[in-house]
Every structure is written in structure tokens, then in C-alpha cells.
Amino acid sequence: MNGDGPIPLSAQDIPEGARPWRLADGERWRAVETARWARPLWAALALLATAIHATATVSEPVCTDAAPCGPEWWGFALFGAGLLLLHLLFLYPGAALLCLAPVLALILLEPGALGDADATARLAVVLAGLFAAAGLQHRREVSRRQTALATEAAGGVRHPAPLDPHASPGGRIALAVAAFLLLVAGAALWQALAGIDRDRHRAAGATAHQAQVTERGEDSLTVTLPGGESRTLSVAYPEDYPEGATIGVLVDGDWARTVAEPYDAFGWQLIILLTALPGTAALLHRAAARRRTAALRDGPQPVLRVLAAEGRDDSRTYIFAFDDRTASRPLLSFYGWPEPAPEDADPDAMAEEIREALRGGERDWVLRDAVLYGAPGAGSGAAVVMAGTRTLTVERALTGVRPERDRAGTRPRRATTTRRRGTEPGRAAHRAPAPADTAATMTPSREPRRWSAGAVSRAVGVFLLLFNAGCLWLLLHDGAGLNWFLLLGLPGAVNMTVCALSWRVTADAHGLWITGPWRVHRIAWEELTAVRADGDALRFSAKGRPTVNLPITGFRALEHRRHGTSGAERARDEIRALHAYPDLRPPRDASAREQGFALGPVIAVLIAAWSALVLLL
């Protein structure tokens, strides 16, 4: 490995006339970023808020003999299209624009789309859709401007991208998964329509009677027919039929149902929703990967000499300006897909490099000389040829290019150069400091060190607790039903709530005490291999045991505004320093009181008590 800078490319691997992407040009490219108002989160929130408001204004259906309920298809289609649209907003602006127009037209023109929602609620949804459309168009314009700047930086030099013309762009797994899920959705749709058709034919040959309701169950009615025969009928809304009321009943032998409630295809509709949405998303992912790869194969592409590095924590490929030798600010990143090895590649050398990468999972990442093919813009495709220690690596973007901004949590591993750890000039403020840098700011303590939930973290925990309580009220106060399936997500929600309220890490002479939601973990210093802060989470890796996770330790964006760093990042940096420099560790072990107490069982009892109270009310 070259200790004086990035691993260099050989002369034959550098296209003729390829120009370096200078830091000044790269900063111009990165400065063209999406305006805050146009970011997909705001469009998604606006659409969600207005859709929930419009749905809340729709009255519950009342099934009568004169106006039977019947299967609801317009609302189901609109709900599915809305969920798909939210997915597209974040990943595929062009497809989102195409999907947005028919959804807005459906809301405006079809009376059954939002039931009896008033005109104001419908207009609010349409205005939110127009806001989303403006943001999507702005993001597409940003991508076009970035592509133009990258093409300008290439100076008109173009070369074919070194991609295998026969390689599968995007992989066959996504296509197989999409085909299977859409096949299941098609079968469920066929079953739903067949059930509706059978019910219609059976009802056409049945005899209508006026029966008296004698008893109501949770999802059934007991009625007495004119001849005195008693029948128990399945219904969706038993509360609409008071005891003693007279209702219409269709009878055909051993088959019977109320006139007001024909066949309910909700179960099949739910299967359609759960399979068609991920199947369509997988198909779109496959199509987008094919389109990006086809664009790279379609003739010569602009080429730029850059520096590249592979991220440690997120496995992304990061691209730096060619003159950014300290790797201070990544310009863009993407998830790469390796192309087939060149014919002249040495298989033994490739195998050894793979073994080194697997062995060196926790070492510093390596900065590599590279050539970028394609004019990158947000969401576009790209391919990169990177120098390796023994072989050449060719990758294409499996996902669209993502411009990198100066924010915490989007950094690759620190570059390997001849400078000592923690002494690179120009290191970005958001990058994780080296243990030596953190150790220089710490003084030895005679008491165990502790990092725990602060005001922001506890506020997040209280919000999650109240949110969970509200969700339980909405789910349970109407009694048992299909909405109880939503309770499957309750354990994960409780896990995050407890962690935000009471997470704690205590460092003593011999290791760490990690207070998670349900138990206190012990990791000795000699067993600890890595500490990572992934967003709002903390993860501890140790030899021979599963990773210990603290899923949420606060709200990083707010903590950065208040303190410049988050509780998870501060704990990570200081624990790494204590791990690297034993002299900083406290001389004694933590007492039982200092080790922490898992609050999970207490919160679980409170939630169980609240659930019982809701069911009793």
C-alpha cells in the first residue's frame, strides 16, 4: 500500500485526455442542492396531513337495505396509490410526477375517491399535491444543472464506460421478487372478483325475507325468519342493527346474508395491498437500474479523474475531488455494484484482496485514484474505475447518485496517508474525531464515566410514549378487529420509547455497562471491537457475541442545533478514546447503582395497564 497518498491508477487505465475534477468545480456542483422547501420530506408530510384530515371528515358508512355497502374499490385504489406515491417522492422524482397527476385527478373528479369528504378537504389534498409537484420539478432541474456542471468540468472529453454489455443491470433477484409478489397480488384480485361474482349470483337466486334481530355478537347477528327459524349471520357492522329491529335477509338453502352487507372482499384487498406495493416498488427499482445502466452504455460518456473510497459503516462508494488529497469533503456517493473482472485480472490477487477487505473491516479506509464515467446529477447513474492494492475495481451505481452535504452520519472511513491519526488538515467538522483528538480533551477520572439520556432524548421518549398510548386508544377502544394486526409493531415502538427515556452507558476500570431497554449488558474492554453511532442509535460490537444496540438515543438534528453534536456521537468518541488509552479509564468498578436499571419491564406493565383500561372503558 502506498503510504504517501491514494493508491494510483496505472497509465493504461486512465482514459486519454481525462481531466481532474477539481475541488472548486466540485464545490460548484455540490452547491446546486435542492431547496429546503422542495425536499421530499415536506411534500410527504403535506400530503399525509391533508389526506388524514380529508379521511377524518368522511362519515362511517351506514349499511341499509336501500343502500347496501358493497366492496370499496375507489378508496382502496386511492390508498394504495398514495402509499406508492410517498415511496416515489423520496427515490424517483420523474415517476412521482407521472403518478401524481392521476391521483389528483381521481381526488377531484371521482366522487367515490374520498367518500363524502367536503370540498375544502379535497382542495387541501390537491394543493398539497401541487406543492409536491413543484418540489419534484425543482429536484429534476437541480439534477439537470448538476449534470451540466459535471459535463463542463469534463471539458468535452468522452470515452465508453468499461461496462460488460451482457451483465444484468440491477440483478435478477429484484425482478424475481417483483414477479412473485405481483403474481400473488393478481391471484388475490382474481379471488376477490370471483367472490363478489359468486355472491351476486347467489343473491340473485335467493329469497328475500324480513327477519327480526334477536341477538348481536361482536361480528355476527342472530335473526328470526318469518317461519320461526333462527339464523346466525356474519356482519361487519353489528352496531348498525339494534335488537328488535326488522332487517332484510337473503336465504338460499343453508346460505344466508343480510341485504345491506354483500360479500366483503377486504381480506383479499389487504393481500393485494401488501403484495402489489412492494412488488411494484421492486419492479421500479429494477427498471430504474436498467435505465441508468443503459444510459451509461449508450455511447461515450464524460470522464473525470477523481478520488474514491468505500465506506465502512454503510458500504457506499464515496467520490472526492481529485485535488482533495485529505478527503475532507465527499462530493457524492452511491451503492456500487461490481462489474465482472477484466479478462487479464489475476484471480489469486483478487481473492487475496477480498480476504484483506474482510479481515480489515475495522481498519481505516483506503483512498484510491479513480476515473468517474458519466455526468453525475442527483439520482442519475455513474460508473467508477478504482485502483486497488492488487487489482482494478469497476463499479456502477446500483442506486442513483446522492450528493453529500456537510452533515453528521454521512462519512466514510478516514483516509490512509502518511500523517498520523487525527492530524489530517482540513478535516471536516462532522467527521468522527480520532481517539487521540478526543483523548486530548479528556482528563482521567476517579469515578466511572457515564453517558445517559438527556433532555432531548427524554423529550423524544415522552413523545413516543404518548404517541403509543394514543395509538393503543384508537386501536382498542372499538373492540377486537382487524386493526389489532397493527399491534404487531408495538414491541418495536416500546423498545425505542424505553431506550430514549433511560439509555445509559457506564465505563469503569474493566469495561462498559450498557443499559438497554430490557437488560444491562456487560462488555469488557478487551472484548470491545467497535463503537458506532448510526444516526440516533449506538451500536457496540464485541468478540464472540451479538452486537448490542441502543436503537434511539435522542434526536440528532435537534441536538446538533443545540450542542453541535449528539449524545450518541459524544459517547462514541469518548468510549473510543477510553478503549485506545487505558490511562484515561477510572480506577474502580461501577457499583450496582451506577450500572443502570432497565426500564423496559416497568413501561411494559404501564402499557398493559393502559390497554386494559381502554378495553374496560
Side-chain angles (χ1 to χ4, degrees), residues 92 169-170 174-175 280-294:
Y92 308 113
L175 186 61
T280 304
L283 196 63
L284 287 171
H285 176 75
R286 164 75 175 183
R290 287 186 65 90
R291 181 183 58 81
R292 284 191 292 262
T293 305

Side-chain angles (χ1 to χ4, degrees), residues 317-405:
T317 298
Y318 289 79
I319 301 299
F320 300 84
F322 187 71
D323 53 349
D324 187 7
R325 315 305 281 185
T326 60
S328 61
R329 303 183 71 181
L331 299 176
L332 59 94
S333 68
F334 53 82
Y335 282 108
W337 184 271
E339 285 291 308
E343 293 182 1
D344 57 350
D346 183 358
D348 293 334
M350 292 183 62
E352 180 59 27
E353 189 159 353
I354 292 173
R355 283 194 292 269
E356 283 189 4
L358 293 175
R359 288 195 301 265
E362 296 299 328
R363 299 183 310 180
D364 293 339
W365 55 263
V366 179
L367 198 62
R368 306 167 185 267
D369 196 2
V371 177
L372 185 69
Y373 289 82
S380 69
V384 62
V385 177
M386 297 185 292
T389 54
R390 293 178 176 82
T391 62
L392 195 68
T393 301
V394 181
E395 287 187 356
R396 59 179 168 81
L398 182 62
T399 58
V401 164
R402 183 183 75 182
E404 290 295 328
R405 302 178 181 88

Side-chain angles (χ1 to χ4, degrees), residues 196-217:
I196 294 171
D197 189 59
R198 286 194 303 269
D199 180 81
R200 185 182 297 114
H201 280 82
R202 199 75 184 261
T207 303
H209 297 281
Q210 293 295 311
Q212 185 177 24
V213 178
T214 57
E215 187 179 348
R216 288 192 305 178

Side-chain angles (χ1 to χ4, degrees), residues 100-186:
L100 193 60
V103 170
L104 294 181
L106 181 66
I107 292 172
L108 277 177
L109 303 178
E110 175 52 48
L114 282 177
D116 58 356
D118 57 32
T120 302
R122 291 176 184 268
L123 181 61
V125 177
V126 172
L127 291 177
L130 294 177
F131 171 70
L136 291 167
Q137 188 60 40
H138 172 79
R139 289 164 59 195
R140 297 183 70 191
E141 180 61 28
V142 165
S143 182
R144 283 194 289 265
R145 290 167 61 190
Q146 288 177 328
T147 298
L149 286 173
T151 304
E152 179 186 342
V157 179
R158 290 175 176 265
H159 290 275
L163 302 179
D164 187 340
H166 305 294
S168 175
R172 295 183 179 89
I173 296 178
L175 186 61
V177 170
F180 173 75
L181 291 175
L182 292 177
L183 184 64
V184 173

Side-chain angles (χ1 to χ4, degrees), residues 484-498:
W484 277 35
F485 283 108
L486 297 176
L487 293 176
L488 295 175
L490 184 62
V494 174
N495 204 52
M496 297 180 66
T497 301
V498 178

Side-chain angles (χ1 to χ4, degrees), residues 55 151 451:
T55 305
T151 304
W451 304 267

Side-chain angles (χ1 to χ4, degrees), residues 402-443:
R402 183 183 75 182
E404 290 295 328
R405 302 178 181 88
D406 288 333
R407 61 179 185 266
T410 56
R411 51 188 178 278
R413 286 180 272 179
R414 188 175 55 82
T416 299
T417 67
T418 55
R419 300 177 181 87
R420 290 188 175 182
R421 183 185 291 266
T423 60
E424 355 38 345
R427 178 169 54 83
H430 70 275
R431 301 168 70 82
D437 293 340
T438 307
T441 65
M442 299 172 63
T443 57

